[in-house]
Amino acid sequence: KNEVEQSPQNLTAQEGEFITINCSYSVGISALHWLQQHPGGGIVSLFMLSSGKKKHGRLIATINIQEKHSSLHITASHPRDSAVYICAGPYGGSQGNLIFGKGTKLSVKP
Amino acid sequence: KAGVTQTPRYLIKTRGQQVTLSCSPISGHRSVSWYQQTPGQGLQFLFEYFSETQRNKGNFPGRFSGRQFSNSRSEMNVSTLELGDSALYLCASSHRDRPTHMSYGYTFGSGTRLTVV
């Protein structure tokens, strides 16, 4: 079964902490998206990567194709980072046919 | 630059009715995909369109249908609504036809929250 597994499901951190969210996926997924969803529903695409590492501000995403594992790191976390983080992979060579993880709900306390 | 626009934002319908949701992609984007999000199932893929052609369809019953117009705007329709169709429906657009190595391949709309009563 092709699927995407995320951990942890819930994460509470203090402002300033370094945060890691993990995503493991099965065969059939050629790349990985990291998405951020704030209360109210809007989704922001943070990264799409198929190899190596990408960085944008305080966010870093890494992927290990051989191990079928990706991580999203947030450095110097801030309460405004509180959101649900979702990883997703395009399946079967189709860009839009995404298989989603269940999401990690992050709460950063001041 | 305008983002992906979904209309309406909120919708309440009665069981058995049908509904049409609209998605206007970013100008120049030709790929539009639709997703359903529910508390129980999370996010699930519905359809993918490119240049007015449906390229992929998720595992949803035939009551769910969609189309894309020549200006890349897309609509999805759900007929004979059921209570379980209550969900947030999201669309996303991309200017790429194939998986991209760009950091930001997708832009999502804010969604249409459908409540079936």
Side-chain angles (χ1 to χ4, degrees):
Chain A
K1 180 183 175 184
N2 293 298
E3 59 185 15
V4 175
E5 301 278 350
Q6 273 186 252
S7 64
Q9 274 189 296
N10 293 282
L11 184 54
T12 300
Q14 287 298 125
E15 184 173 355
E17 285 185 359
F18 180 84
I19 288 162
T20 295
I21 300 170
N22 295 301
C23 180
S24 297
Y25 57 95
S26 62
V27 297
I29 294 172
S30 57
L32 207 79
H33 291 265
W34 280 101
L35 311 170
Q36 179 193 57
Q37 186 172 34
H38 281 284
I43 289 181
V44 174
S45 178
L46 298 174
F47 298 100
M48 180 175 174
L49 64 167
S50 57
S51 65
K53 176 180 174 178
K54 292 187 186 291
K55 184 175 189 291
H56 183 73
R58 296 180 294 105
L59 302 177
I60 303 166
T62 63
I63 191 167
N64 184 316
I65 297 294
Q66 287 73 30
E67 294 185 5
K68 297 184 174 55
H69 180 269
S70 178
S71 294
L72 176 69
H73 307 284
I74 304 175
T75 62
S77 60
H78 190 276
R80 65 175 173 266
D81 297 326
S82 298
V84 176
Y85 292 84
I86 303 166
C87 62
Y91 173 66
S94 164
Q95 186 179 24
N97 187 358
L98 295 174
I99 300 176
F100 296 88
K102 296 295 185 188
T104 295
K105 186 175 181 180
L106 172 65
S107 177
V108 182
K109 306 293 185 188
Chain B
K1 183 177 178 182
V4 177
T5 303
Q6 289 190 246
T7 57
R9 286 296 310 275
Y10 302 93
L11 203 50
I12 299 175
K13 288 286 189 178
T14 304
R15 271 184 302 175
Q17 287 186 313
Q18 68 96 25
V19 66
T20 299
L21 311 181
S22 178
C23 173
S24 294
I26 288 175
S27 178
H29 285 195
R30 293 195 294 165
S31 288
V32 174
S33 298
W34 287 89
Y35 307 93
Q36 181 198 63
Q37 186 177 35
T38 59
Q41 298 297 319
L43 277 157
Q44 294 181 281
F45 168 73
L46 279 159
F47 327 98
E48 179 187 18
Y49 287 90
F50 178 79
S51 291
E52 302 179 67
T53 301
Q54 187 179 90
R55 300 183 68 207
N56 270 291
K57 188 177 193 298
N59 189 25
F60 279 81
R63 301 185 295 107
F64 291 80
S65 63
R67 58 179 176 168
Q68 187 180 31
F69 302 95
S70 58
N71 62 357
S72 295
R73 189 178 71 86
S74 178
E75 288 181 349
M76 67 162 283
N77 184 277
V78 188
S79 62
T80 319
L81 283 165
E82 300 176 1
L83 294 179
D85 297 333
S86 295
L88 179 67
Y89 291 88
L90 292 150
C91 78
S93 75
S94 171
H95 72 290
R96 294 297 178 118
D97 182 26
R98 287 175 294 280
T100 175
H101 292 280
M102 289 175 60
S103 293
Y104 303 98
Y106 264 83
T107 304
F108 283 80
S110 297
T112 293
R113 190 165 294 278
L114 171 66
T115 302
V116 182
V117 297

